Amino acid sequence: MDSLELIVVVAAAVLLMGWLSRRTDLSEPLLLLAVGCLVGLTPSFSSFALSPDVVLFLFLPALLYWEALTSSVREIRDNFRSIALQSTGLVLATAVAVAVVAHALGYGWPIAFVLGAVLAPTDAAAVAAVAKAMPRRILTVLRTESLLNDGTALVLLAVTIDVVTDEHSFSWSGTALAFVASYGGGILIGAAVALLLIPVRRRLPEPLLHSVLSVATPFLAYLPAELLHVSGVLAVVVCGLVSAWFGPRVIGSEARIQAVAFWEVASYLLNGALFVLVGIQLPAAIRALTSVSLVQATAAALAVSVAVLGTRLLWFYSVPYLVRLLDRRPQQRDRRITAPQRLPLAWAGMRGAISLAAALTVPATTAEGRIVGQRDAVVFITAVVIVVTLTFLGPTLPAMVRRARFPADEDKSAELTLARCRLSSAALDAMPALAERFGVAEEDTLRMVQDIEDRTAPAPGSAHRRESVRRLQLALLQVKRDTLTDLRDSGRIDDIVLRAVQEVLDVEEIRLGRP
């Protein structure tokens, strides 16, 4: 199978399934997974093997970085306790629950804990694809949990793999030290990379170079962390959060527009590609199953799926109430949510490509050359749990969100109003001095003042007049575009001139908003 064929098939699948999802309201991840399975059944892709290195070293840093860039640092700080408990405690609880179920079904403790570590983290791509229409706070908690729990699970996986391959014996002190070193090192490296890049961003002369640096940044954080054997996941997330905090002060508008446009397309394509690649891998996981029968492995996978979902439900309906008993501060009471509103958080437990990549990293042999028993079953069970969670949780999560009846995010509306009023006030205060400095005529200054005041406190009928003017400006832009194209078609200007003028028209259209 040629690499170019794979790229074309994956891109076409992402495009077509994205279009179909929007036409039918079906779950996009589920459609991508299904079409991937169909592709995996074809002879050309029957031998396809998903490389864990591609997922962990190429897809993961890029996706984590963009998710971190678009997160709210304030909301993470305000909800840090919940996020920390879910990204560590819930991961460990899920790993133990899965290991207990797997051991009860006949799997040895070491390989059972490997399976638990593989299936412990939720998938950032899967959660981001379906966890929509939630209040800002709830969505931030879910997204940040899915960013950080990969780090916890991968450290736990490394410890359990060492036990399985006889390279190291298990010890509680050694495991605790590994967690502390991994987390601390990842945080330090991520923050250091982000801070070191601030002066670089200030001195870059072109928006294009800013975009190149933006693409390179997650890998600049991930690589040194991995080389030092600390959490590359945490390094990328911290780097993204620090970059998001300082970005408005060091990145210009043109560079920011270009970078955001790139990341929106790249993250959508990478997310979709992961679901397709997991689907392509599913038939191969079934064919590779030899240590147990297909019926036994399927039954084990369904039991493990129940353990994964049940542990998350039990966590969200027990731990938060225990925390309430211990913390009765008034500000914490104000942040509490009802039991129905807690259900969407418990329901957002989708697993994805990260779990499959982690399962594929389990070595086939021990340090002494002995075959690692039931590795094929671990890969198969992981693939089935991914399908079950995406099939069962993904399509039903929007209904859970609607039933939760979350209140409108009034704080966000108030903050938007505050920001707009303060911006207008600051602009009006600075207007006289700036107008004199740049030699702007008084009538032009008054016109600008009137426009700012209309936007801040619109007079009756001004909104309708402003919308009419906006539509007129957009229509005139289209006339300009048609004229520009006619000039190019007639040979009076070339394509280079067309693109230069077109860029100005595009920026103006963005300023005016969509037609």
Side-chain angles (χ1 to χ4, degrees):
M1 189 243 332
D2 190 81
S3 298
L4 181 59
E5 292 178 8
L6 178 63
I7 293 172
V8 171
V9 167
V10 169
V14 171
L15 178 62
L16 292 175
M17 293 304 104
W19 173 81
L20 182 61
S21 174
R22 284 153 180 78
R23 291 296 299 269
T24 61
D25 287 333
L26 294 174
S27 170
E28 189 170 344
L30 200 56
L31 290 173
L32 292 168
L33 195 69
V35 77
C37 289
L38 294 177
V39 172
L41 292 172
T42 62
S44 299
F45 293 88
S46 59
S47 60
F48 170 76
L50 179 63
S51 171
D53 289 345
V54 171
V55 177
L56 297 178
F57 300 145
L58 178 61
F59 283 76
L60 185 60
L63 292 174
L64 291 178
Y65 183 66
W66 174 241
E67 287 293 322
L69 278 181
T70 53
S71 295
S72 167
V73 176
R74 189 193 70 179
E75 290 296 321
I76 291 173
R77 184 182 63 242
D78 292 345
N79 297 280
F80 181 76
R81 183 175 64 190
S82 297
I83 293 169
L85 284 173
Q86 289 165 219
S87 60
T88 54
L90 180 55
V91 168
L92 297 176
T94 304
V96 171
V98 169
V100 170
V101 171
H103 182 68
L105 294 172
Y107 293 79
W109 278 117
I111 199 68
F113 270 104
V114 166
L115 180 61
V118 164
L119 291 172
T122 55
D123 187 78
V127 171
V130 297
K132 300 174 182 177
M134 292 186 182
R136 180 175 40 168
R137 174 193 167 201
I138 305 299
L139 190 56
T140 299
V141 170
L142 282 177
R143 291 176 62 188
T144 311
E145 175 205 353
S146 67
L147 292 178
L148 298 180
N149 60 19
D150 290 336
T152 306
L154 291 177
V155 173
L156 182 61
L157 179 63
V159 172
T160 55
I161 285 178
D162 282 346
V163 175
V164 167
T165 56
D166 299 327
E167 292 189 8
H168 298 92
S169 59
F170 176 80
S171 70
W172 287 107
S173 60
T175 302
L177 183 62
F179 272 101
V180 172
S182 180
Y183 268 68
I187 291 171
L188 290 175
I189 289 175
V193 170
L195 293 174
L196 288 173
L197 290 179
I198 289 176
V200 177
R201 296 184 191 279
R202 292 185 188 275
R203 289 169 174 79
L204 286 178
E206 298 179 13
L208 183 62
L209 296 180
H210 274 282
S211 296
V212 173
L213 179 58
S214 180
V215 174
T217 298
F219 305 100
L220 293 174
Y222 195 85
L223 179 60
E226 288 297 311
L227 292 177
L228 294 173
H229 303 290
V230 297
S231 177
V233 168
L234 209 59
V236 172
V237 171
V238 171
C239 182
L241 293 175
V242 175
S243 299
W245 184 261
F246 288 102
R249 293 182 174 87
V250 297
I251 301 176
S253 58
E254 189 177 353
R256 185 163 44 252
I257 290 173
Q258 190 175 84
V260 168
F262 165 80
W263 276 112
E264 286 180 345
V265 174
S267 63
Y268 178 77
L269 186 57
L270 290 176
N271 277 331
L274 278 178
F275 290 118
V276 177
L277 292 174
V278 169
I280 295 176
Q281 188 69 40
L282 291 179
I286 296 173
R287 288 193 298 268
L289 187 64
T290 56
S291 62
V292 294
S293 69
L294 180 60
V295 174
Q296 290 175 319
T298 302
L302 294 177
V304 168
S305 299
V306 172
V308 168
L309 303 180
T311 302
R312 189 172 179 89
L313 282 167
L314 181 61
W315 176 276
F316 277 99
Y317 284 96
S318 61
V319 173
Y321 296 100
L322 178 60
V323 172
R324 286 185 184 183
L325 294 176
L326 301 175
D327 188 354
R328 294 183 172 274
R329 291 176 296 168
Q331 61 266 36
Q332 291 301 320
R333 292 197 197 102
D334 295 338
R335 302 176 66 81
R336 292 174 182 172
I337 59 177
T338 65
Q341 291 171 348
R342 197 173 297 284
L343 186 57
L345 281 86
W347 214 251
M350 286 72 68
R351 269 57 179 177
I354 305 304
S355 291
L356 185 58
L360 293 171
T361 61
V362 179
T365 59
T366 67
E368 299 176 351
R370 291 184 287 106
I371 296 175
V372 174
Q374 300 172 318
R375 177 190 180 274
D376 55 341
V378 168
V379 175
F380 175 82
I381 292 173
T382 301
V384 173
V385 171
I386 292 171
V387 173
V388 169
T389 55
L390 288 177
T391 304
F392 181 57
L393 299 180
T396 55
L397 183 59
M400 297 294 176
V401 174
R402 289 192 295 271
R403 290 184 60 185
R405 298 179 184 238
F406 287 109
D409 195 346
E410 296 179 357
D411 289 341
K412 183 178 179 181
S413 300
E415 289 170 19
L416 283 171
T417 301
L418 172 64
R420 288 166 179 158
C421 290
R422 289 293 178 87
L423 291 176
S424 299
S425 178
L428 291 172
D429 290 342
M431 180 78 76
L434 291 175
E436 182 179 354
R437 174 183 171 186
F438 294 112
V440 178
E442 183 178 358
E443 59 270 19
D444 294 330
T445 303
L446 291 175
R447 192 180 302 113
M448 293 182 65
V449 169
Q450 185 62 49
D451 183 62
I452 293 173
E453 290 177 344
D454 283 345
R455 291 176 182 275
T456 307
S462 63
H464 177 72
R465 290 195 302 272
R466 192 164 59 247
E467 176 62 17
S468 298
V469 171
R470 188 182 75 91
R471 289 180 176 275
L472 173 61
Q473 290 172 319
L474 287 169
L476 291 174
L477 277 178
Q478 187 57 49
V479 172
K480 292 178 181 180
R481 290 185 190 282
D482 294 341
T483 304
L484 183 65
T485 306
D486 290 342
L487 288 172
R488 192 277 312 272
D489 293 346
S490 64
R492 300 182 66 181
I493 63 172
D494 72 356
D495 291 281
I496 295 175
V497 174
L498 178 140
R499 284 191 291 269
V501 178
Q502 186 174 254
E503 182 179 354
V504 177
L505 299 179
D506 290 344
V507 172
E508 179 66 13
E509 185 171 323
I510 291 173
R511 186 186 69 81
L512 292 171
R514 293 180 181 273

